[in-house]
């Protein structure tokens, strides 16, 4: 034990080698005792932010927790706070990261399939995969999932310094909410494959309402104690940016289709005009 080792250190008959050995054993015993007490208290040493271990803790989440959070983001209920109900002071970046990555590739793949089905049967149309859809979707989605929570967190911190709110969120909790709120867009984007514009707009509107409800129900308690104009302005900005993301993706694909269709029509008109000039009749 540690007391026995200390007693031997002060015994005259102890040699120099024995003293060195006893000091090493004493240090080992103290370190083990410290780790044991640390384990009992449930405390963990925080690693520096420049190390991999610091960010590894944000991806330490169980599969059932991710599943529950995704299902919770698909079914918003009035009066239910997503942070208090599912995150519980344990935000993760695993779910938001892979939800955004999945949404990026689903938008790119379904957008290309939608283009192929839209022009299927046209003799002048040659299918070419548009890989830039991945770049555009990744830039838009990851910018939204990172920059908007950062701006909202800074705004809430600033307002909390002026008005003491009962509800406050950390930056990781806000990122977690925004990331999981995008999960409902994945099945909605898959429906873009169906060649009916009404179905596509319906899927986007439903996804927008569900994910927007998560944001409103979560962040309204954090701003309702503020001045009415400020609270309404913050919530309006949250909803407006969410609408801009949803309709931006949809309108971008629709714009590309209209542009391609216009190029196809102009090519057909030019071909017909040249046939009339050279042969006297259209072909």
């Amino acid at each position: 034990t540690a007391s026995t080792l200390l007693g031997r250190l002060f015994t005259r008959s102890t040699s120099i080698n024995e003293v060195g050995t006893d000091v090493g054993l004493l240090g080992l015993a103290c370190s083990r005792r410290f780790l044991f007490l640390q384990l009992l208290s449930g405390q963990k040493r925080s690693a520096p932010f420049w190390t991999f271990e610091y960010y590894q803790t944000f991806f330490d989440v169980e599969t059932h927790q991710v599943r529950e959070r995704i299902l919770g983001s698909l079914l918003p209920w009035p009066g239910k706070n997503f942070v208090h109900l599912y995150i519980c002071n344990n935000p993760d970046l695993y779910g938001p990261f892979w939800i955004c990555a999945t949404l990026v590739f689903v938008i790119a793949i379904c957008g290309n399939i939608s283009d192929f089905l839209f022009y299927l049967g046209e003799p002048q149309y040659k299918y070419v995969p548009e890989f830039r859809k991945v770049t555009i979707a990744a830039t838009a989605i990851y910018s939204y999932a990172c920059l908007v929570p950062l701006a909202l967190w800074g705004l809430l911190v600033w307002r909390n310094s002026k008005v003491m709110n009962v509800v406050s969120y950390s930056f990781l909790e806000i990122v977690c909410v925004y990331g999981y709120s995008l999960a409902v867009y994945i099945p909605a984007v898959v429906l873009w494959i169906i060649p009916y514009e009404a179905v596509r707009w319906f899927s986007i509107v439903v996804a927008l309402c569900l994910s927007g409800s998560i944001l409103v129900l979560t962040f309204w308690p954090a701003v309702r104690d503020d001045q009415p104009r400020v609270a309404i302005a913050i919530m309006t900005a949250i909803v407006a940016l969410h609408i801009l993301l949803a309709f931006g993706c949809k309108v971008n694909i629709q714009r590309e289709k209209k542009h391609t269709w216009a190029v196809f029509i102009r090519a057909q008109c030019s071909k017909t005009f040249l046939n009339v000039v050279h042969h006297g009749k259209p072909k």
Side-chain angles (χ1 to χ4, degrees):
T1 61
S3 60
T4 304
L5 292 173
L6 286 174
R8 292 188 58 184
L9 288 177
F10 293 99
T11 302
R12 292 183 178 179
S13 61
T14 305
S15 63
I16 299 299
N17 293 333
E18 291 177 344
V19 170
T21 304
D22 292 341
V23 170
L25 293 175
L26 179 61
L28 181 61
C30 291
S31 62
R32 287 181 177 178
R33 181 177 178 83
F34 174 75
L35 293 175
F36 179 72
L37 293 175
Q38 188 181 46
L39 180 62
L40 290 179
S41 61
Q43 297 178 354
K44 296 186 297 183
R45 292 181 298 176
S46 58
F49 70 91
W50 60 82
T51 61
F52 177 77
E53 289 77 9
Y54 176 82
Y55 298 96
Q56 187 178 10
T57 58
F58 301 142
F59 292 84
D60 187 12
V61 63
E62 300 293 335
T63 304
H64 69 90
Q65 292 178 326
V66 176
R67 181 174 61 249
E68 291 175 357
R69 293 173 182 182
I70 292 176
L71 293 178
S73 66
L74 299 178
L75 301 172
W77 292 99
K80 300 294 184 181
N81 192 313
F82 186 82
V83 173
H84 297 163
L85 192 61
Y86 297 102
I87 297 179
C88 302
N89 296 324
N90 185 27
D92 72 283
L93 296 180
Y94 179 86
F97 174 81
W98 285 112
I99 287 174
C100 292
T102 304
L103 183 58
V104 167
F105 286 101
V106 167
I107 289 177
I109 294 173
C110 293
N112 280 282
I113 295 176
S114 177
D115 291 342
F116 175 77
L117 296 177
F118 186 81
Y119 299 111
L120 184 63
E122 298 292 340
Q124 300 297 327
Y125 176 72
K126 182 180 179 181
Y127 173 73
V128 178
E130 299 183 18
F131 295 103
R132 65 189 183 91
K133 290 181 183 290
V134 179
T135 305
I136 296 174
T139 303
I141 292 173
Y142 277 103
S143 298
Y144 174 81
C146 297
L147 298 181
V148 174
L150 179 61
L152 180 59
W153 173 74
L155 181 60
L156 293 179
V157 171
W158 173 60
R159 294 308 302 175
N160 284 338
S161 64
K162 297 181 177 295
V163 180
M164 294 300 297
N165 294 332
V166 178
V167 180
S168 61
Y169 304 122
S170 65
F171 172 65
L172 288 179
E173 288 176 338
I174 297 176
V175 172
C176 194
V177 173
Y178 268 86
Y180 280 103
S181 68
L182 297 177
V184 69
Y185 283 100
I186 296 176
V189 172
V190 173
L191 295 178
W192 289 1
I193 300 177
I194 301 176
Y196 294 99
E197 200 64 22
V199 176
R200 296 169 181 170
W201 280 110
F202 177 77
S203 64
I204 289 298
V205 171
V206 172
L208 175 63
C209 294
L210 292 176
S211 59
S213 299
I214 293 293
L215 299 180
V216 172
L217 294 174
T218 301
F219 295 113
W220 172 247
V223 301
R224 63 185 175 188
D225 295 333
D226 207 332
Q227 300 178 8
R229 292 183 179 179
V230 176
I232 294 175
I234 293 176
M235 297 308 301
T236 302
I238 292 174
V239 174
L241 291 174
H242 203 60
I243 294 175
L244 183 63
L245 176 71
F247 284 86
C249 296
K250 182 68 181 68
V251 171
N252 181 60
I253 292 180
Q254 185 68 21
R255 180 186 61 81
E256 290 179 356
K257 288 182 179 181
K258 289 182 178 179
H259 175 73
T260 307
W261 183 250
V263 172
F264 174 75
I265 292 177
R266 286 198 298 268
Q268 289 294 100
C269 293
S270 299
K271 182 179 179 180
T272 303
F273 176 77
L274 292 177
N275 288 331
V276 170
V277 170
H278 290 89
H279 304 285
K281 60 179 181 178
K283 290 187 179 180

